[in-house]
Amino acid sequence: MSTGRGAWRRYDHNLFPVFHERFEEKWGPGTAPFLDPSVYEADQPRPRAQWINVDTGAAVAVAPVWEDDPTARSFAVFYLPPHGGIWVLRPPGLGTYAEAIANGTPTSEHAVALRNDSFKKAVAHAEEFIYGSELD
């Protein structure tokens, strides 16, 4: 998948709305609250990372996701091919973490460390997807 480092740019501002649009186009309305751009910025789950390929318009994002319980989260890598669609790439070996902020309870240092470690692994997985492995 490597397209060279030069075309990809990190973009750490608001998630592009197209992630939400394409996800719900594929899996139905209401399936991606974690990508919803209509949620006020401070209420969006964190941390996140995002890249865009300035030559092709492709994009990659790392965002916390959940299914039934918004406090039980994991990270996923989302890839937007230039011509439509969306791929969801779950980094290997990542488990869920408890997001205590969502239920109003204090976050333990262990929970924060687990979330941060999961995020770092997800970002590394996204960067490997974008740039290829060091052996390429």
Side-chain angles (χ1 to χ4, degrees):
M1 164 64 223
S2 179
T3 60
R5 288 188 177 267
W8 287 94
R9 301 283 186 267
R10 185 80 181 251
Y11 183 83
D12 289 327
H13 302 287
N14 299 339
L15 282 178
F16 299 124
V18 69
F19 283 103
H20 185 252
E21 293 164 8
R22 289 192 191 177
F23 193 99
E24 290 198 344
E25 182 179 287
K26 186 169 184 173
W27 286 288
T31 57
F34 39 83
L35 297 173
D36 189 347
S38 70
V39 175
Y40 181 69
E41 182 64 22
D43 294 333
Q44 278 289 356
R46 305 262 184 223
R48 303 181 309 217
Q50 186 172 220
W51 298 259
I52 186 165
N53 185 307
V54 295
D55 291 343
T56 67
V60 172
V62 172
V65 298
W66 62 88
E67 291 179 21
D68 298 327
D69 179 1
T71 64
R73 296 181 179 174
S74 61
F75 284 98
V77 177
F78 301 93
Y79 170 63
L80 300 178
H83 302 292
I86 186 169
W87 299 357
V88 181
L89 310 167
R90 293 237 183 219
L94 285 185
T96 60
Y97 65 92
E99 184 61 71
I101 295 168
N103 65 10
T105 60
T107 305
S108 72
E109 286 184 34
H110 176 71
V112 170
L114 180 60
R115 181 198 64 208
N116 292 345
D117 184 56
S118 295
F119 178 68
K120 288 176 187 172
K121 288 177 181 175
V123 167
H125 184 67
E127 288 177 337
E128 184 177 344
F129 177 78
I130 292 169
Y131 304 121
S133 70
E134 303 249 344
L135 302 175
D136 286 352

